Amino acid sequence: MRIDMRGLVVGLGLMLLSAFSAHAAASCGDNTGKAATGEPIVIGAITGKTGPDDFSNSTRAAKAYFDCLNANGGVKGRPVKYLVEDDQWNPETAAQLAAKLVNDEKAVLMVGNSSFVECGANADFYKKSGIVVVAGVGVPRECFFAENYAATNAGPRVSTLGAMGYALDQLKAKSVVCIGPNIPNVGTWSCDGIKSLAKEKGFTAETILMDPGTADSTSIILQAAASKPDVIILGLPKGVTIPLLTAAEEQGLNQTIKFLSAASAYDLSVPGTIGAGWDGNFYVNMEFNDLEAATPDNQNWLAVMDKYGQPSDPRDTFAQAGYLAARIAEKALMSLDPKDITRESTSAAIRQVKGFASDIFCAPWYFGDGQPRHNANSTTRMAVSEGGKWKVISDCAPSPDPELADIRAFEKSAGIAP
């Protein structure tokens, strides 16, 4: 067989060109194409990079966006100096790092935080210090019940309840086992939401809390399956969820029980990792848009990650969260006089953010000035694993979490559509 080498080379070249131009050019700030050279604006972040799982995807995406912003004029000529610290999933370390960023580095704002422990350790400190946090990924209850802390994600409880709503409405579930991490105000908080909804809707619910670092996946799965529930809902990090699914498939439970997850498992790599045995039987809640959506802002997120992030940086729901947090910070900072960007002026500007629209969100994001707590993102979608990919299977729907009653009341009084 004769091979046309010239045609092969041209074809490969076109394939590479197509791969590198799959997304539009990254758009950030004023798109000046000139690097910002003024006095840096210090922004901090705390994430759980080392520990039971790498939870730093949000800060990686926020950094990519700030790097893009700095390459395009920054904030009216001033670059962002983005300082990210690893709390190692340790509350004491998280407290020390917050003091370092706020007191020593003089950060004017915290952006993109993503941690299982730092909210509880630092929420009161942030309030006393007069600094606002626009987190990427809030996890424990304190992230959503603090005056100075607002996350772009929905949170594990709202996301878990979003999955439960789908299980009730579409899978006709009558019984559920909720598996969560035994981290204070994380697993119990989320699974208690399932129990509250169970009382309201009349289905049965059980809870299993596990140590995400040392638990035996097979024993946990067998314990969950013992009561023969219609569905098992997982509210765990991706790195813990996959071993549980592997154990479940080894026991043949993927054929008899429907499995659902909070948004933590919504990563492009997961369907291929868990394999065809889970086709049509593993559902995830989506706190944001489809990761591969061809919508303008989602494509810009991907373009920013491609140009300013690392190839190894995950393109997952938590990266979307960090991108959005950085965009919200940019919006607030751009409203200020560049000569008067202080912690006080920045905090005031963040508090005034409302109606922040992005096709990555189901509904516009707002801070909620004067509110004792924040949970603007509470409307989500669902997807199912199918053919090595995620298939979006629902439109945006408000989470049925009973604990959102005060949020819904505020939105109604403020004229904000849920």
Side-chain angles (χ1 to χ4, degrees):
M1 182 176 70
R2 182 182 178 185
I3 299 176
D4 182 354
M5 294 304 296
R6 182 176 180 277
L8 180 60
V9 170
V10 171
L12 288 172
L14 289 173
M15 288 174 64
L16 287 171
L17 179 62
S18 175
F20 282 107
S21 61
H23 306 129
S27 175
C28 306
D30 290 330
N31 290 311
T32 64
K34 296 181 180 179
T37 58
E39 181 184 358
I41 301 166
V42 179
I43 293 178
I46 297 176
T47 188
K49 181 174 176 58
T50 55
D53 197 10
D54 183 347
F55 207 57
S56 65
N57 299 354
S58 173
T59 50
R60 294 184 194 186
K63 181 183 184 304
Y65 189 81
F66 286 137
D67 285 350
C68 180
L69 177 64
N70 289 344
N72 285 279
V75 178
K76 300 179 181 178
R78 295 184 61 180
V80 169
K81 183 179 179 181
Y82 189 49
L83 304 177
V84 180
E85 299 287 353
D86 175 17
D87 66 20
Q88 303 172 48
W89 292 56
N90 185 312
E92 292 183 3
T93 301
Q96 294 167 1
L97 294 173
K100 173 186 175 182
L101 291 168
V102 175
N103 295 335
D104 300 339
E105 299 291 350
K106 308 299 182 186
V108 300
L109 180 65
M110 301 288 284
V111 175
N113 292 28
S114 55
S115 168
F116 275 74
V117 300
E118 84 95 13
C119 301
N122 297 326
D124 289 341
F125 170 72
Y126 292 137
K127 182 177 179 180
K128 292 175 182 176
S129 301
I131 192 167
V132 168
V133 182
V134 181
V137 185
V139 183
R141 187 177 187 272
E142 290 91 344
C143 295
F144 302 92
F145 282 80
E147 188 174 325
N148 282 34
Y149 208 108
T152 60
N153 73 317
R157 175 171 166 133
V158 168
S159 185
T160 299
L161 269 291
M164 189 68 236
Y166 184 85
L168 292 175
D169 296 340
Q170 302 300 324
L171 304 181
K172 308 304 178 185
K174 300 295 184 182
S175 58
V176 59
V177 172
C178 176
I179 305 178
N182 61 352
I183 298 172
N185 286 325
V186 179
T188 302
W189 179 47
S190 296
C191 291
D192 279 355
I194 297 287
K195 288 185 176 180
S196 295
L197 191 65
K199 287 183 179 181
E200 183 180 299
K201 300 291 186 179
F203 61 92
T204 60
E206 297 179 18
T207 294
I208 296 174
L209 300 181
M210 59 175 283
D211 185 332
T214 61
D216 178 84
S217 297
T218 299
S219 63
I220 292 294
I221 281 297
L222 290 176
Q223 182 183 349
S227 63
K228 298 182 179 180
D230 294 330
V231 299
I232 292 175
I233 292 187
L234 309 174
L236 299 153
K238 178 188 70 175
V240 181
T241 294
I242 290 174
L244 287 173
L245 295 178
T246 300
E249 185 172 7
E250 289 173 350
Q251 300 298 320
L253 299 175
N254 58 320
Q255 302 299 321
T256 59
I257 301 173
K258 297 293 184 183
F259 282 72
L260 299 93
S261 171
S264 48
Y266 185 56
D267 178 291
L268 290 178
S269 69
V270 169
T273 300
I274 60 178
W278 288 99
D279 280 4
N281 201 42
F282 181 51
Y283 304 79
V284 295
N285 184 255
M286 302 163 58
E287 296 178 312
F288 302 109
N289 202 353
D290 178 3
L291 294 171
E292 299 180 290
T295 52
D297 210 19
N298 196 67
Q299 286 297 301
N300 189 54
W301 159 60
L302 292 169
V304 167
M305 296 300 295
D306 287 350
K307 185 169 184 180
Y308 295 94
Q310 300 297 318
S312 60
D313 291 343
R315 277 58 167 167
D316 67 358
T317 190
F318 296 148
Q320 287 176 315
Y323 166 84
L324 290 167
R327 288 278 315 281
I328 290 166
E330 173 198 46
K331 176 182 176 67
L333 291 168
M334 286 291 196
S335 71
L336 300 173
D337 180 343
K339 297 178 181 178
D340 186 33
I341 295 179
T342 64
R343 187 177 298 171
E344 183 178 12
S345 65
T346 302
S347 296
I350 290 291
R351 293 182 187 281
Q352 293 306 310
V353 173
K354 55 185 176 182
F356 180 88
S358 168
D359 52 59
I360 299 176
F361 281 126
C362 271
W365 190 91
Y366 62 90
F367 182 84
D369 188 27
Q371 293 304 298
R373 80 179 193 96
H374 311 278
N375 211 144
N377 183 354
S378 58
T379 305
T380 61
R381 300 176 175 89
M382 292 294 295
V384 67
S385 181
E386 189 171 289
K389 295 183 178 181
W390 291 115
K391 178 182 178 182
V392 180
I393 52 174
S394 77
D395 294 326
C396 295
S399 173
D401 185 1
E403 196 176 54
L404 289 171
D406 61 332
I407 296 293
R408 300 292 184 226
F410 167 73
E411 290 174 343
K412 183 176 181 180
S413 67
I416 300 171

